[in-house]
Amino acid sequence: MARFMGRSWAARMFPGRRPRSRRRERPEVAGRRFRSWLNVRSVAGQVFILQLVIVLLLGAAATIALVLQVRHDATDEARGRSVAVAEAFANSPGIVQALHSPNPTKVLQPKAEAVRKRSGLDFVVVTNDKGIRYTHPKLNRIGKHYVGNIEPALHGHTTVDTGPGTLGEAMDAVAPIFDRNHKVVGLVGAGITIKKVSGLANRQLPLLVGAVSASLVLATGGTALVSKRLRRQTRGLDPIEMTRMYEHHDAVLHSVREGVLIVGDDGRLVLANDEASRLLDLPPRPEGRLVDDLGLEPHVADVLASGRDVTDEVLVAGDRLLAINNRLTDRAGGPPGSVATLRDSTELRALSGRAEVAQKRLKLLYDASVEIGTTLDVSRTAEELAQVAVDRFADFVTVDLAEPVARGDEPLVVGGVEMCRSAVHGIRPNHPFYPVGRVFAFVPSSPQAFGLSGGEPVVEADLSEATGWQAQDPEQTAKVIEYGVRSLVTVPLRARGVLLGVVNFWRMKQREPFEQEEVSLAEELASHAAVCIDNARRYTREHTMAVTLQHSLLPRALPSQSALDVAFRYLPAESGVGGDWFDVIPLPGARVALVVGDVVGHGLHAAATMGRLRTAVHNFSTLDLPPDEILSHLDDLIARIDQDEGPGGPNGDGSGGGGGSEGITGATCLYAIYDPVTRRCTMARAGHPPPALVRPDGSVEFLDLPAGPPLGLGGLPFETAEAELAPGSHLVLYTDGLIEDRRREIDTGLEMLRRALSHPARTPDQICTEVLDALLPSNPSDDIALIAARTRVVGADRVASWEVPSDPAAVSGVRAEVMRKLAEWGLDEAAFTAELVLSELITNAIRHATGPIRVQVLRDRALICEVSDSSSTSPHLRYAATMDEGGRGLFLVAQFAERWGTRYTSDGKVIWAELAIP
């Protein structure tokens, strides 16, 4: 065993040479040492790091103090200025009169902008007591709700708050506007954005950054001076210090767990540390002997004496595996020879083998967590489990689920329940197992049945000897053994304490059979897959329930009517259900109402809300109201539902039955009424996309309807618009899911819809098909409802009308004219009933109404008799007493007519009755 002996070893190894610390330094070495003060291990480097940390800490503290102080001062100033401007503007002369003027925005917007510019604020906003803006720096925000808390201001208090706004994060003050009765009639909000306040502090940062940079430059220069002085003081070492240094080197060399050998250029061993002697089993005091005479393995001695570079070459030395590295020592002016290092890799190789196996298993589990459960489909999840385990863990994988689970239903007790083969995957496309979709039951002796009953995995190392497994299906199991399948691990699929099915891992004869230690990996795979399958099953069940509810609420067939040829399409979103709906509602007078709407949100709540709105539309339509009034009723209905079902209930304390359920956030709707007699279409919309009109020549126009706010917001009335439609025109109504998509803007969608519609001579069904082909997204995220309606016209030969004077004597003449017209139409059998009904309606109009009276008879699917007058008084059906001389007219009308009712017009009302045509 060789050891360093201070200068003695140096003299033998480097004869005639001074220690390296006293030799003249070469220029490149000196350059490297000049830069050594940057090394954190040196004293100079440590001084530099300390100075750098101190300067950075002081700079950071100064920056934080500056920013906080300036922001605090700027915030106080912004708060005071915002309050002053808001209160001054709220108490300015004439503001109350401006709020009550016909156009408050016209009066207040110039004043508010002038005050905002003079005060340096970002916004001065005036609202009414409902929070609707009359002024705003951005004109498109006028008419919308004020963003912020206005409740304290509505109670007469001036508030200052910081929060998100239309211009960004802002500090705003809200002051109330009082009338002469000290009642709050409006609000004034004034404020400044946080970004503008923070900008005051940013202007002070350059000076501070410059000061910190100068400090860093001074610290760098000081560190360089310290390093230079230290180098000057340590260039020479005396013999005692050198001896101590070599003794330390000697101690370190023999304490490391790596063998070190130094071989001279003559092939003799110069040095061997303790670890090298142990690994190579060297004789005592081997220094000075030839490497070939040390009794080493020939290939080991050849590497040590060859003088060639070797990197991590593994050699066998006795019962050890040694990793050898060999380097020459004369590359940087050192003495000739080589130095070799030895590492014992025997145990490391065994550990690395086990670590490699563990790493592969961890990689398999990680891939399983990523690749299993990518969709909420039960069958697809079972296939992903089979695919991720094949080849890396098993040669074939089969997944069998309880038959109710495969359908997405609640799992039953699995024992004795029929199973459905849900997935089969393997290293070969052909296989001897049951195909996917096969329904069967496990026999009690099979390992799968044992696993399901006990809830534990079962291993069959040799299937040729597994009689219980072979009893499942002797003919089929014989094919499996003949195919070459050797072993099996079957693991129950358990999730949330419920057994869903079983997964089977199979190995061929070419691989080692499954061992007990591999069961834990199979359980991990099955456990993760079971949770994913259960999630998919629960989603499938809930989605099926929601879709069933949604489809039950939508119209299943179109009603019979003669005004329009209608075709429709309804496509639900790929995930979840929405609140889109449509309707075709026949109205009196051969008219037809087209309705399309969209409830915001998805899920059961949106579908249920859609059903309630559709029912409400039907009920309101029976009143024969104009479109704008129907939308107003729907708006009130949604507001009441939202109040009752909101988090606080109608009383604000949760006592209204809401119970914290999800509130309605709004809905859109388009309601259109087409009259085939006048060819006029009356429409109104509430936040819904405009309808498209396709003329007979193929030109397309998006009708310019007043937009109106979405339902549930309230505050603004709805407006109607009328359009005269040419015969054969197409009216196309749709929901926003058709034109909006995450990959395109709404304007792009409208232009695509225009191009898809601009083709003449197509049926409504062809229009629906071609529009969906052109615009349907690949993965629709929202429901799509589409209606295409081609207009028809009731010809003049099927309509007759007469003006009736306000004279009872004129009734007989009108009856005679009506009878002649019915005879022309071949309706003699209905003449008596029509004569009776018209007599009662005309007589009532003459007796109770004023102004001109008009009678119209229309032949459609039924005979429609209408009497219009200028009175807005609605008749009421009542039972006349025995002695009453009148009061039986409407009772007779109701008895003889199929339907009857009243609708109001801008000039009065129309009383109508529909009589069956024999």
Side-chain angles (χ1 to χ4, degrees), residues 79-91:
R79 180 182 291 107
R81 193 190 309 173
S82 301
V83 172
V85 171
E87 291 181 343
F89 199 86
N91 295 297

Side-chain angles (χ1 to χ4, degrees), residues 215-232:
S215 301
L216 290 176
V217 171
L218 292 176
T220 305
T223 303
L225 293 176
V226 172
S227 177
K228 184 176 181 181
R229 186 172 183 82
L230 289 174
R231 286 197 310 274
R232 187 182 303 116

Side-chain angles (χ1 to χ4, degrees), residues 63 111 117 175 436 480 482 522 546 750 786 796 849 877 901:
T63 302
K111 296 181 180 180
K117 294 176 181 178
V436 173
V480 173
E482 182 181 355
L750 289 174
L786 174 65
L877 178 66

Side-chain angles (χ1 to χ4, degrees), residues 510-532:
Q510 291 78 7
R511 296 180 64 174
E512 293 293 327
F514 287 108
E515 299 177 355
Q516 197 64 35
E517 63 180 11
E518 294 179 298
V519 173
S520 60
L521 177 59
E523 286 184 297
E524 290 287 344
L525 291 172
S527 175
H528 176 73
V531 173
C532 296

Side-chain angles (χ1 to χ4, degrees), residues 676-733:
V677 178
T678 62
R679 295 189 290 109
R680 300 196 65 81
C681 183
T682 306
M683 297 162 283
R685 64 184 177 122
H688 202 81
L693 175 62
V694 185
R695 297 186 176 88
D697 60 358
S699 60
V700 180
E701 176 189 0
F702 290 101
L703 298 179
D704 186 15
L705 301 183
L711 300 175
L713 299 183
L716 295 176
F718 299 99
E719 301 181 49
T720 60
E722 287 190 356
E724 187 172 335
L725 308 184
S729 300
H730 287 87
L731 193 63
V732 180
L733 283 66

Side-chain angles (χ1 to χ4, degrees), residues 47 192 305 400 453 618 635 768 780 809 913:
V47 171
I192 185 171
D400 305 319
S453 60
H618 273 271
D635 185 60
C768 291

Side-chain angles (χ1 to χ4, degrees), residues 146-157:
Y146 188 82
V147 178
N149 185 14
I150 64 173
E151 288 297 326
L154 293 175
H155 292 85
H157 304 291

Side-chain angles (χ1 to χ4, degrees), residues 4 248-256 258 260 271-274:
F4 285 120
H248 289 168
H249 288 178
D250 183 67
V252 171
L253 179 67
H254 292 284
S255 63
V256 295
E258 191 173 60
V260 179
L271 172 68
N273 69 347
D274 294 345

